[in-house]
Amino acid sequence: MAEIVDSLATFLPVDTSNVFVVGHSMGAGAAVGAASKTPERLRAVAALGGGGAPSESCSVLPFFVAAGASDFGLGMSKGLAGRLRELGCEHVDEKVYPATEHLLVVQRALPDVFAFFDAELAH
């Protein structure tokens, strides 16, 4: 992911010090993987309807972890949030959206994700 951001920055006005990543389902695991591999390149992560295997190195990042109450990824999301806390991640915002399944969680969560990212920019 870091290489993609660097490549984009060669022809687009990308602020490489303010990179936020959002992943849904399997993409949540990819986002967690990117955070584990290069946490210094990210500002915050949102993982929706999925999980991943975070490393201790990504515990310095703020995470927004969410799933729908009827989402088959709910258990993975809860597991991710718990593991992040075990690793010492100080900022884990966990949310479960009622009456929401796996695909709808993205639409439901994005306003909260962007608010979470905006709050991180304010720090």
Side-chain angles (χ1 to χ4, degrees), residues 4-71:
I4 292 170
V5 170
D6 290 340
S7 179
L8 287 171
T10 64
F11 60 93
L12 293 172
V14 175
D15 180 356
T16 59
S17 65
N18 285 310
V19 175
F20 298 84
V21 65
V22 179
H24 172 249
S25 198
M26 286 180 65
V32 171
S36 293
K37 185 176 178 183
T38 56
E40 70 283 356
R41 299 295 306 269
L42 300 176
R43 187 73 183 263
V45 177
L48 307 176
S55 69
E56 191 171 335
S57 64
C58 70
S59 66
V60 298
L61 293 169
F63 273 82
F64 182 91
V65 180
S70 302
D71 189 337

Side-chain angles (χ1 to χ4, degrees), residues 67-118:
S70 302
D71 189 337
F72 65 79
L74 178 59
M76 291 180 283
S77 292
K78 287 187 170 292
L80 171 60
R83 181 68 180 136
L84 287 165
R85 290 186 182 102
E86 287 173 7
L87 291 171
C89 187
E90 293 181 15
H91 191 177
V92 179
D93 191 346
E94 184 178 5
K95 188 155 184 160
V96 176
Y97 295 91
T100 303
E101 51 76 51
H102 188 66
L103 295 177
L104 185 58
V105 72
V106 175
Q107 179 184 2
R108 279 287 194 45
L110 280 179
D112 293 334
V113 168
F114 291 127
F116 178 80
F117 288 167
D118 285 343

